[in-house]
Each structure stands twice: as C-alpha cells, then as structure tokens.
Amino acid sequence: MLPYIGSHSQGGAVPVSINDDSTLARAQGWRTLAALHARIEDALERALQRAHGLSVSEYGVLDTLSQEGGYCLRMNQLSRAVVLSQSATTRLVSRLERRGLLERYICDDDRRGIYTQVTAEGRTVLEQARPTYDDSLAKALREAQELPELSPLVDTLTGLPLQTSR
C-alpha cells in the first residue's frame, strides 16, 4: 500500500511511492536546509534584538540598501531583494522610517517611482549592527558545523564564492 499526501477526506489525496529516492532526497535536503535556516535566523534575531533593537528583516533591509551606491532602491526592487511581499516590505519600511533609519521619496525623473534610502542615522545603526550580525552568523555556522546532519550543508555554504555584484 502506498502512503498518501493529504487526507482521504479532502478528496485530493495523491499516492506517493516511498521508493522514489530522488523525492526522498529532495525532501530530506529541504528539511535540512530549513533546519539550518531556522537555527541561524533565530541566533541572528536574538543577537540583533538584544544589542540593537533590530529584527533580522530590518537588518536585511538596511544591509540591502547599503549595498546600493546611493543607499536607495525603488520599493518593488527592495521587496524582491529582501524576498518579502510588497505589503510586508511597505510595513517594514514604515517601521524603519518612524525610527528615522529610512526615508521614502518620489523620483524626480519618474513620479510613479517611490524610492527608499538609508538615512545618516540608519547608516550609523547598520555600521554598529554589522559586527553583531557577522559574529552571530559565524558562531551559528560553527555550532551547526558540529551537528552531523547539518555539517555537509554548512561545508557547502562556506565554500560558495563571494558574489560582489548584484
């Protein structure tokens, strides 16, 4: 008998062969990646909140904008870059704007385009938070490296070439 995805009561249950090694490998790989991501994000969240009052997402927005030459992006570009929905990005930018870390403005050349840029205070907060982020990430990866189920993935991540351009 084959296991099913979904329940029989839903009417949409699909039989799955448990002998499909590639399906099992993908599922295991995804669980491993999700476990590593959760461990790292939790460590970063705790460290950034404790030391700087920033969430991982807030840090990500400041860091992403700092990678841009003029410290600014259109809202839709920022949303794609930080992998958040447009509405979540808008809420996040509004929160950072209220704190004086970001500001929005309308582009002179394209009145439809709303840009977001890091303020001087935002750059200062980011510069102060970056060592905390870097140290917490390194520590979380070292700790994950000690777990046999996560070690191969950490090896892969730490061996990736640095991408300097977007």
Side-chain angles (χ1 to χ4, degrees):
M1 181 163 184
L2 296 174
Y4 285 85
I5 296 176
S7 72
H8 295 286
S9 64
Q10 294 172 343
V14 177
V16 174
S17 169
I18 60 173
N19 295 326
D20 185 347
D21 289 340
S22 64
T23 300
L24 292 174
R26 269 193 310 275
Q28 179 59 44
W30 172 245
R31 284 191 299 273
T32 303
L33 179 60
L36 180 61
H37 178 270
R39 290 177 64 89
I40 291 171
E41 187 162 34
D42 182 57
L44 293 170
E45 187 77 32
R46 283 184 281 119
L48 288 169
Q49 280 291 343
R50 183 176 44 250
H52 308 284
L54 288 174
S55 70
V56 172
S57 295
E58 291 168 337
Y59 176 88
V61 165
L62 292 172
D63 186 55
T64 297
L65 288 169
S66 79
Q67 302 296 319
E68 299 302 317
Y71 284 87
C72 65
L73 282 174
R74 287 179 76 146
M75 289 292 289
N76 62 343
Q77 293 171 312
L78 180 59
S79 178
R80 281 193 311 272
V82 296
V83 193
L84 290 173
S85 69
Q86 292 254 347
S87 61
T89 302
T90 298
R91 287 189 303 274
L92 185 58
V93 166
S94 293
R95 229 177 19 247
L96 290 169
E97 193 174 36
R98 282 191 299 275
R99 290 178 59 186
L101 305 179
L102 295 180
E103 60 188 4
R104 286 182 268 199
Y105 64 95
I106 302 216
C107 178
D108 290 335
D109 298 337
D110 178 5
R111 304 297 284 164
R112 298 168 296 160
I114 298 175
Y115 284 76
T116 304
Q117 69 181 7
V118 180
T119 63
E121 184 178 348
R123 284 191 291 278
T124 299
V125 167
L126 178 61
E127 289 168 13
Q128 292 169 347
R130 187 167 276 130
T132 302
Y133 180 91
D134 293 342
D135 293 346
S136 297
L137 177 58
K139 181 180 178 197
L141 287 169
R142 280 193 308 274
E143 290 172 356
Q145 179 71 45
E146 295 173 11
L147 301 172
E149 66 274 18
L150 298 180
S151 182
L153 184 54
V154 173
D155 289 343
T156 300
L157 288 173
T158 55
L160 291 174
L162 180 62
Q163 294 182 350
T164 57
S165 63
R166 289 192 181 262

